[in-house]
């Protein structure tokens, strides 16, 4: 049944793009919204989330000729695009350091029993900022691999597929990157 609906969406997208996009959004809009909101919750504001969702559907449409339903469903394609777009938006937000305040606010208000002092909040903010800078200094693909592993909770296989590496190489890169971070963070925290 899903295959028939996917084929209908693809035909409609090619014949009448506007109606096809309406059907695509109606069918997969909730899924895309969930993925984007789940992956960018602490970093992006609602208008950024909405823009990201729109970008996912635009990206899907741009890749229309490359999509082969024999290799995967629309759900698979659009979920992959959504996860990648969420990563892009999150990384931009991180680079702009918009997420630091959100993380501090979440930490502060989620543990009312142990309300941090202003001093401890400032220290935590500095540590988060320092850690973020150190992760970014690792460079690509290490910073992306750590982001995917520890923020997006992706498996080694998912990371390997997403960045075009073999699973053992991803595992070794994570181990080395963590060692580098441990060395760089010594004495700081």
């Amino acid at each position: 049944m899903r295959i028939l609906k996917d084929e209908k969406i693809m035909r409609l997208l090619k014949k009448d793009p506007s109606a096809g996009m309406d059907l695509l959004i109606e069918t997969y809009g909730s899924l895309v919204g969930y993925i984007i909101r789940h992956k960018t919750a602490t970093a992006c504001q609602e208008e950024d989330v909405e823009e990201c969702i729109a970008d996912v559907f635009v990206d899907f449409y741009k890749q229309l000729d490359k999509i082969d339903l024999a290799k995967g469903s629309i759900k698979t394609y659009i979920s992959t695009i959504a996860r990648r777009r969420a990563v892009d938006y999150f990384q931009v937000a991180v680079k702009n350091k918009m997420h630091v305040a959100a993380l501090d606010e979440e930490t502060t208000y989620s543990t009312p029993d142990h309300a941090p002092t202003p001093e401890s909040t400032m220290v935590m903010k500095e540590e988060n900022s320092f850690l973020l800078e150190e992760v970014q200094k690792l460079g690509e693909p290490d910073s992306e691999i750590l982001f995917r592993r520890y923020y997006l909770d992706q498996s080694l296989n998912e990371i390997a597929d997403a960045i075009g590496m073999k699973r053992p190489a991803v595992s070794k890169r994570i181990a080395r990157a963590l060692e580098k971070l441990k060395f760089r963070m010594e004495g700081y925290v």
Side-chain angles (χ1 to χ4, degrees):
M1 178 121 168
R2 173 70 70 190
I3 295 170
L4 294 176
K5 184 143 191 175
D6 283 358
E7 289 173 356
K8 178 181 177 184
I9 292 171
M10 293 298 284
R11 278 193 310 273
L12 195 54
L13 280 166
K14 290 175 183 175
K15 182 179 177 185
D16 182 359
S18 180
M21 285 302 279
D22 288 344
L23 183 57
L24 180 68
I25 291 168
E26 177 185 317
T27 307
Y28 294 104
S30 296
L31 172 67
V32 170
Y34 173 79
I35 292 169
I36 301 298
R37 283 184 176 85
H38 178 73
K39 302 296 184 192
T40 63
T42 60
C44 295
Q45 296 179 1
E46 184 59 26
E47 55 267 11
D48 297 324
V49 170
E50 294 296 329
E51 184 179 330
C52 185
I53 291 169
D55 286 348
V56 169
F57 288 104
V58 170
D59 288 351
F60 182 86
Y61 185 76
K62 286 179 179 177
Q63 298 176 25
L64 203 56
D65 294 333
K66 298 177 187 174
I67 295 172
D68 182 0
L69 294 180
K71 293 182 180 178
S73 65
I74 289 178
K75 181 179 180 181
T76 303
Y77 281 102
I78 208 149
S79 296
T80 301
I81 293 168
R83 282 192 291 276
R84 288 180 181 164
R85 269 297 180 165
V87 169
D88 293 344
Y89 271 72
F90 182 84
Q91 287 177 338
V92 167
V94 167
K95 286 179 183 171
N96 292 332
K97 301 199 190 273
M98 291 169 27
H99 79 291
V100 174
L103 288 175
D104 286 345
E105 217 174 88
E106 181 180 302
T107 304
T108 301
Y109 296 114
S110 66
T111 56
D113 310 356
H114 310 293
T117 64
E119 294 83 14
S120 66
T121 301
M122 183 59 84
V123 168
M124 189 181 341
K125 196 175 205 175
E126 286 178 16
E127 288 172 353
N128 286 343
S129 180
F130 182 73
L131 177 60
L132 174 63
E133 287 174 19
E134 291 302 316
V135 169
Q136 288 174 340
K137 284 180 186 176
L138 292 172
E140 295 297 333
D142 293 344
S143 58
E144 181 178 356
I145 290 171
L146 289 181
F147 170 76
R148 287 177 178 277
R149 182 70 174 148
Y150 296 105
Y151 180 75
L152 298 179
D153 294 324
Q154 289 183 340
S155 70
L156 296 177
N157 288 333
E158 288 174 318
I159 296 168
D161 289 344
I163 62 173
M165 294 179 96
K166 296 197 183 283
R167 186 184 183 282
V170 170
S171 180
K172 285 181 184 177
R173 282 196 169 271
I174 289 173
R176 288 181 189 152
L178 291 176
E179 279 300 314
K180 286 179 188 176
L181 283 176
K182 181 180 174 185
F183 177 75
R184 291 177 179 177
M185 298 292 287
E186 270 184 27
Y188 188 82
V189 287

